[in-house]
Amino acid sequence: MPARPLSRICYVEDDEDIQRIVRMSLERLGKMTVELVGDPFAAIDAILAFKPDLVMLDWMMPGMDGPTLFKKLREHPQIKDIPVVFITAKASSAEMDQLRALGAAGAISKPFSPKDLPEQLRAIWGALP
Amino acid sequence: MNRPSAVIEQSAVSAAPAGPFVAAPDAADRKHVLAERVELLYRQSALGIIATILVATVATAELWYDQYKQLVIFWWITALLIGAARFAVEVAYRRRKDDDPEKWLRWFAIGALAAGVNWGFAGSVFFPSRSDEQQVFVAFLLAGMASGGIPLLSSAWWIYALYAGGILIPFAYVLGTYGARLFTELAILVPVLYAANVAIAFRLDRVFASGLRLRHAYGRLAQDHEALNHQLEGQINELMDAHREVAASGRKLALFAERAPIAVLEMDANATILDVNPAAETLFGYASTELIGRSVLHMLFSRDKHGTIDEAWWGRFAAAAQPASAFQVPCIRRDGLELVCEFSFTPLVNDESKLLSVIAQGRDVTQQLEAERIKREFTSTLSHELRTPLTSIIGSLQLLQSGVFGDMDKDVVELITVAERNGERLLDLINDLLDIEKIESGKFTLVPEALSLDDLVRESLVLNQAFAERFGVKLDVPAELPRVQVYADRKRLLQVLTNLLSNAAKFSPRGLSVEVGLAVQGDTVRVDVQDRGPGIPEEFRGRIFSRFAQADSTVTRQKGGTGLGLAICKRLIELMDGKIGFADRAGGGTRFFFELPVHREAA
């Protein structure tokens, strides 16, 4: 378990409504700082600038999907150690297993409950080595 | 289809040694030869009788004139009677109905002996009383009669011995007792003559016997030959029939291939095309003459596509010579269009397992695969596109309800609750529809693991307690549950339990309990969920596990639910090798249950 509490989250998601809900949930209920990125191609620069504790990725995005972006993050020397959690509407257990096999720290299925989201993320954070 | 094998069996049977080829036993052989001897004797019998009567008549005339007239007449009449008797025997033989040559031989021997003895009587009575000339005549007569019998009787030497003995033994006795030295010497020579004649008769008998045997053997050979010919003719006819049948079934097969909507190609072991049917011509856009003699791997199968069949694959297939089916092979049509064809390859091998040719049957599955892909994509898109807005809707409502924005008007909270509940209902419906679609298209995969069913039951109660409380219902489970393991998909089993518990809660009267039980019976474990609800209406029982089955459409509005829950439960439990059912509960209400096989870990 990491020594510091989870406080800085970068969320890569193209849907603005969901962006807003996640921001409200994490900031208002979870008391965390959230950086939102709408364009997956801008994600690496944003992450380098923001230095988040944890990155949340949407699975389906225009231009570049979550798994592709995830691989790029893994290959980046300054980003590769930041844990990544997927938020996905793909719900089958096989797909969830596939995500974990990629090296994701966790997966949260859509629709998620904004009431529970901060706790879910903290649980994943707490389970990290 | 059974006929050709029947033909083969028949020829196998007729090729086995049949009657004519079995060697006749010696006894039957001897009997046949004996019958031929008897026939030969009787055939010459008339000649013997006539000659005897003629000679006897001439002798009677010669010996007639003196005091022995009565005796001569008596002798002549006796010779005539014997002749008549022998003739009667011959007639009887000709008309015989039995098959007993020995009997007829005996009768013939009696006749011959009688004739011989009659001549012996003539010799012994007339010889002493005659003049010298007449004595020479009698002696000549007797010698002639004795010798003349050889050709007629020697096909049975012992009959000749009886006949000649009847003539010569009394005559030798008369000569020996006559008193003259010359006659005494002759009396010694007569037995020598007799012995010599019998010896000749014996030799002739042997010659006759071997001749007859030879003739008989030849007859049998001819008979066998005829039987063999007959049999060969039968086999040729059978072969012709079989040939006609093979030709007919060949024509039938050719017709099948020609009319079949499936492309049929015949290749040799090197993948060179030998023949194609019209459907193959249509499918690939080539005329059969363009395809025959070319390699199927180069002409039809796409060379640079994943999953194609190449020389290496074909080499392995030809070496194994085992049928291979349901291969999706990328193919190229004459006009360059890419197709995916599903092929089955059937090797034709001979008795020595040598590959003669390969029959490939294929059909175009390009459109089918495309349709499946579109359906998958649609399902996936539907899932994503419906869930994304729902995420926003439900998320927003939940945030409002969470109280982070301060206190709200009671009516507003109530409306937000309604909106959220219905949003979740919509989400349930989408999830259920996706589940049932996956299950029914066979794309549904379970992730089974060994798990404690008693723990899972307790967990499901905790998860559904809040839902039950909304209906004022308590979920009850005994404090002690039997420890039991099942091999099942945890998430899906929880889904089934949740479904049964929420159904029971929805239909239970307020203030009562839903009782959950767990029982192990042998290799099966059963989970019961019992309520005190109104029970299942009679007319609904038959389709309770069908899709969109709800007893009454008003129920959906009152209680919620998609009408897919139990249909999904049934399919999930069946996928886990279990069964699901329901029964009336004593005292009112319904008992739903499912059973799963108990999992016992290998020690």
Side-chain angles (χ1 to χ4, degrees):
Chain A
M1 181 178 170
R4 64 181 188 284
L6 178 62
S7 68
R8 293 174 72 81
I9 308 280
C10 181
Y11 182 32
V12 187
E13 162 70 75
D14 61 303
D15 188 305
E16 285 181 15
D17 289 342
I18 294 179
Q19 281 183 1
R20 242 174 239 126
I21 291 164
V22 168
R23 182 197 283 279
M24 278 189 204
S25 161
L26 296 182
E27 289 187 347
R28 292 218 178 208
L29 293 172
K31 311 294 178 206
M32 298 171 193
T33 313
V34 176
E35 171 78 2
L36 294 168
V37 185
D39 177 7
F41 293 97
I44 289 180
D45 289 342
I47 291 166
L48 287 173
F50 182 68
K51 294 188 187 4
D53 297 329
L54 184 145
V55 175
M56 282 164 63
L57 291 185
D58 184 25
W59 181 280
M60 280 172 128
M61 287 180 290
M64 193 193 314
D65 65 7
T68 311
L69 177 56
F70 177 63
K71 275 184 208 130
K72 284 190 186 295
L73 300 185
R74 292 286 97 171
E75 288 159 8
H76 198 287
Q78 286 158 273
I79 298 176
K80 67 179 169 51
D81 295 325
I82 301 174
V84 173
V85 172
F86 277 97
I87 290 207
T88 173
K90 297 195 170 246
S92 87
S93 49
E95 284 157 340
M96 291 291 184
D97 289 345
Q98 196 187 334
L99 291 177
R100 290 194 185 91
L102 283 173
I108 292 168
S109 66
K110 272 184 194 173
F112 56 90
S113 159
K115 224 161 45 179
D116 304 331
L117 186 61
E119 282 317 304
Q120 277 177 292
L121 283 181
R122 284 201 178 99
I124 291 169
W125 180 254
L128 286 172
Chain B
M1 278 293 162
N2 281 330
R3 291 293 300 277
S5 70
V7 168
I8 290 164
E9 274 170 40
Q10 276 177 16
S11 15
V13 167
S14 47
F21 290 101
V22 178
D26 282 356
D29 219 20
R30 274 203 298 277
K31 194 175 171 185
H32 273 110
V33 172
L34 183 67
E36 296 243 20
R37 284 179 187 224
V38 172
E39 171 65 24
L40 210 58
L41 286 171
Y42 276 103
R43 204 184 299 156
Q44 293 172 331
S45 152
L47 185 65
I49 293 164
I50 291 165
T52 304
I53 289 170
L54 277 176
V55 174
T57 307
V58 170
T60 303
E62 171 60 32
L63 303 172
W64 177 251
Y65 55 88
D66 62 10
Q67 73 272 23
Y68 289 107
K69 265 182 192 157
Q70 291 87 346
L71 208 55
V72 172
I73 288 290
F74 168 75
W75 174 77
W76 183 64
I77 289 171
T78 306
L80 287 181
L81 287 176
I82 290 171
R86 291 183 69 193
F87 192 71
V89 170
E90 192 193 330
V91 170
Y93 170 77
R94 294 282 165 224
R95 294 180 178 174
R96 75 193 184 282
K97 292 209 169 61
D98 56 50
D99 182 29
D100 185 3
E102 284 183 25
K103 183 180 88 182
W104 295 106
L105 192 65
R106 276 196 301 277
W107 279 112
F108 191 89
I110 291 165
L113 180 62
V117 169
N118 197 41
W119 282 108
F121 169 79
S124 49
V125 173
F126 301 130
F127 184 83
S129 60
R130 297 293 153 169
S131 63
D132 289 352
E133 292 87 349
Q134 282 185 328
Q135 280 179 335
V136 171
F137 173 74
V138 168
F140 182 78
L141 210 59
L142 294 182
M145 287 317 293
S147 301
I150 294 176
L152 298 181
L153 301 175
S154 60
S155 55
W157 70 271
W158 57 274
I159 292 180
Y160 174 75
L162 284 176
Y163 166 75
I167 300 169
L168 295 178
I169 291 167
F171 183 53
Y173 176 76
V174 168
L175 283 175
T177 53
Y178 195 81
R181 203 174 63 105
L182 179 70
F183 286 172
T184 310
E185 286 164 7
L186 278 175
I188 295 165
L189 284 176
V190 165
V192 175
L193 175 74
Y194 175 65
N197 278 358
V198 169
I200 291 168
F202 181 75
R203 288 288 304 278
L204 280 172
D205 174 291
R206 295 295 90 185
V207 172
F208 272 125
S210 64
L212 288 173
R213 267 201 296 274
L214 215 58
R215 200 175 86 163
H216 183 66
Y218 175 75
R220 259 190 23 207
L221 213 60
Q223 221 175 6
D224 287 357
H225 182 68
E226 199 182 339
L228 197 66
N229 270 343
H230 186 70
Q231 220 172 54
L232 279 174
E233 201 179 329
Q235 283 179 352
I236 286 170
N237 284 339
E238 282 170 10
L239 278 174
M240 293 294 285
D241 282 350
H243 175 76
R244 272 192 290 275
E245 273 185 45
V246 168
S249 65
R251 274 197 300 279
K252 207 152 66 181
L253 272 180
L255 206 64
F256 280 164
E258 200 163 313
R259 295 286 176 83
I262 289 176
V264 182
L265 301 103
E266 186 184 9
M267 272 80 66
D268 68 7
N270 299 318
T272 305
I273 299 169
L274 303 174
D275 201 3
V276 299
N277 73 341
E281 293 178 306
T282 311
L283 179 57
F284 295 111
Y286 290 101
S288 63
T289 47
E290 294 174 286
L291 291 172
I292 290 169
R294 311 289 295 274
S295 166
V296 71
L297 304 177
H298 293 97
M299 284 296 281
L300 302 180
F301 295 169
S302 180
R303 300 293 295 158
D304 42 33
K305 274 272 180 163
H306 177 70
T308 195
I309 285 179
D310 55 12
E311 280 86 355
W313 186 94
W314 188 271
R316 284 195 301 277
F317 168 74
Q322 293 294 322
S325 52
F327 272 91
Q328 288 182 356
V329 189
C331 297
I332 297 188
R333 224 164 62 174
R334 187 196 191 127
D335 58 10
L337 192 84
E338 293 189 355
L339 303 173
V340 179
C341 297
E342 193 171 276
F343 270 105
S344 292
F345 298 98
T346 311
L348 298 179
V349 294
N350 65 7
D351 289 345
E352 286 89 44
S353 303
K354 185 182 170 346
L355 183 67
L356 300 177
S357 66
V358 176
I359 301 291
Q361 292 161 296
R363 64 192 179 92
D364 183 3
V365 293
T366 317
Q367 286 180 351
Q368 184 188 330
L369 290 178
E370 182 63 10
E372 281 170 14
R373 192 190 62 78
I374 289 171
K375 190 180 169 196
R376 260 199 317 277
E377 204 165 83
F378 175 76
T379 307
S380 174
T381 308
L382 184 77
S383 163
H384 184 259
E385 295 305 320
L386 287 176
R387 279 167 201 245
T388 302
L390 270 176
T391 304
S392 302
I393 295 168
I394 297 170
S396 303
L397 296 168
Q398 280 192 349
L399 277 175
L400 281 173
Q401 263 200 324
S402 68
V404 287
F405 306 105
D407 287 342
M408 282 180 290
D409 187 88
K410 190 169 76 59
D411 288 344
V412 175
V413 173
E414 201 171 305
L415 282 176
I416 290 171
T417 309
V418 168
E420 191 202 338
R421 190 163 65 227
N422 284 283
E424 286 190 343
R425 252 175 73 181
L426 194 55
L427 185 65
D428 286 345
L429 178 64
I430 293 162
N431 288 341
D432 284 357
L433 276 172
L434 288 173
D435 279 352
I436 209 116
E437 193 278 328
K438 276 187 187 163
I439 290 170
E440 291 189 348
S441 64
K443 298 250 160 35
F444 191 85
T445 45
L446 290 173
V447 189
E449 58 182 312
L451 50 92
S452 294
L453 187 56
D454 44 312
D455 288 345
L456 197 75
V457 166
R458 283 196 198 90
E459 191 182 333
S460 72
L461 257 68
V462 172
L463 289 174
N464 288 283
Q465 201 70 54
F467 181 83
E469 277 164 12
R470 261 169 52 188
F471 295 90
V473 174
K474 239 181 88 196
L475 302 179
D476 265 353
V477 68
E480 289 289 317
L481 285 178
R483 301 284 299 167
V484 59
Q485 289 229 315
V486 290
Y487 191 72
D489 185 316
R490 182 186 171 79
K491 189 178 149 198
R492 295 304 183 171
L493 202 49
L494 213 49
Q495 184 180 345
V496 172
L497 279 162
T498 297
N499 212 292
L500 295 184
L501 287 172
S502 59
N503 275 349
K506 275 189 261 182
F507 290 98
S508 275
R510 212 159 247 286
L512 291 181
S513 293
V514 168
E515 285 158 36
V516 182
L518 180 68
V520 181
Q521 273 183 327
D523 290 333
T524 309
V525 57
R526 199 181 66 205
V527 176
D528 291 296
V529 176
Q530 308 190 83
D531 64 54
R532 288 288 180 201
I536 318 272
E538 196 62 47
E539 67 278 6
F540 179 54
R541 292 177 177 228
R543 56 186 175 90
I544 189 163
F545 290 110
S546 308
R547 293 200 287 174
F548 299 108
Q550 278 186 332
D552 177 348
S553 61
T554 58
V555 169
T556 314
R557 288 193 290 280
Q558 287 169 4
K559 312 277 188 182
T562 61
L564 286 169
L566 284 176
I568 294 170
C569 286
K570 180 174 160 61
R571 286 163 174 79
L572 288 176
I573 289 293
E574 283 168 356
L575 281 172
M576 291 184 248
D577 299 326
K579 61 178 186 184
I580 192 165
F582 66 92
D584 286 334
R585 187 182 180 190
T590 308
R591 176 172 68 89
F592 272 90
F593 64 88
F594 65 83
E595 292 175 353
L596 289 173
V598 172
H599 176 69
R600 298 190 209 287
E601 274 177 82

